[in-house]
């Protein structure tokens, strides 16, 4: 196992074919008083055509990754009705899509018989796992890299099973 966690630029820069990401939390630690989530709660909605208002280095990284021929897919496994935070993510998913990601949503009830990993994460080219650890309150507890073939196989199978059942963003209606 590598001793350090690569930066996002290094991780996605190493992808040659695919980068898949699964998210399974209904909320992540965010500032409820200031920042994008607070703005959204106050009624601010970003317009897709106003890229200057929302384009971030992350979107540039995804666009560069996809331009190299890497397929970037994200599946969000969510409880329904969705949490306020998930609604916020849903409203902002247009940014991921414009950057080049494919995004699908899977209601948690439809994932009960899928052997999902215990943590959110990324799988790069079916071989390298980046686990995203979180505290109980949703704050980042750091990342971890694994090149264990069994872990990569579990993640690949779980992701593909979830992806096959998940609803493309443009067809998913939050409730």
């Amino acid at each position: 196992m590598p001793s350090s966690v690569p930066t996002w630029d290094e991780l996605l820069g190493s992808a040659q074919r695919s980068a898949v990401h699964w998210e399974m939390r209904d909320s992540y630690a965010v500032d409820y008083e200031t920042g994008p989530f607070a703005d959204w709660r106050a009624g601010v909605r970003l317009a897709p055509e106003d890229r200057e208002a929302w384009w971030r280095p992350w979107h540039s990284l995804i666009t560069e990754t996809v331009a190299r021929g890497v397929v970037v897919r994200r599946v969000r496994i969510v409880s329904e009705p969705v949490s306020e935070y998930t609604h916020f993510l849903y409203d902002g998913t247009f940014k991921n899509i414009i950057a080049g990601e494919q995004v699908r949503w899977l209601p948690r009830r439809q994932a009960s018989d899928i052997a999902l990993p215990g943590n959110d994460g990324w799988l790069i080219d079916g071989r390298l796992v980046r686990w995203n650890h979180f505290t109980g309150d949703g704050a980042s507890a750091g990342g971890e890299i694994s090149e264990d073939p069994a872990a990569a196989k579990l993640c690949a199978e779980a992701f593909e099973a979830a992806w096959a059942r998940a609803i493309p963003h443009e067809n998913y209606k939050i409730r």
Side-chain angles (χ1 to χ4, degrees):
M1 178 182 304
S3 59
S4 66
V5 177
T7 66
W8 291 111
D9 286 346
E10 293 168 339
L11 184 71
L12 292 175
S14 74
Q16 296 177 3
R17 297 179 322 281
S18 66
V20 300
H21 180 42
W22 57 96
E23 296 174 314
M24 300 184 294
R25 297 183 58 90
D26 288 318
S27 66
Y28 296 85
V30 294
D31 189 336
Y32 281 75
E33 303 299 323
T34 62
F37 186 58
D39 293 344
W40 179 86
R41 291 179 88 207
V44 174
R45 298 298 182 264
L46 300 173
E49 61 276 1
D50 186 14
R51 280 191 181 201
E52 286 191 29
W54 55 263
W55 194 262
R56 302 286 180 267
W58 176 257
H59 302 113
S60 294
L61 177 58
I62 294 299
T63 298
E64 292 162 10
T65 302
V66 170
R68 291 193 339 267
V70 176
V71 176
V72 180
R73 296 182 291 161
R74 177 187 305 252
V75 67
R76 290 183 169 140
I77 300 165
V78 297
S79 299
E80 292 181 322
V82 300
S83 69
E84 183 181 34
Y85 186 80
T86 298
H87 192 162
F88 162 71
L89 288 177
Y90 177 86
D91 282 355
T93 296
F94 73 86
K95 298 179 287 186
N96 303 79
I97 292 168
I98 289 172
E101 286 187 45
Q102 299 172 37
V103 181
R104 292 187 181 181
W105 301 81
L106 179 61
R108 193 173 310 281
R109 287 181 181 267
Q110 295 176 25
S112 296
D113 62 349
I114 299 173
L116 295 165
N119 294 289
D120 288 12
W122 285 82
L123 180 63
I124 306 299
D125 292 332
R127 61 163 190 82
L128 179 71
V129 180
R130 189 213 195 262
W131 302 113
N132 295 338
H133 298 294
F134 294 93
T135 66
D137 292 336
S140 176
E144 178 184 354
I145 294 293
S146 172
E147 291 181 324
D148 175 33
K153 182 177 187 277
L154 167 74
C155 293
E157 290 173 353
F159 182 87
E160 293 304 332
W163 186 259
R165 289 186 192 176
I167 302 161
H169 176 72
E170 61 274 11
N171 297 330
Y172 182 68
K173 306 300 178 223
I174 60 169
R175 44 187 205 108

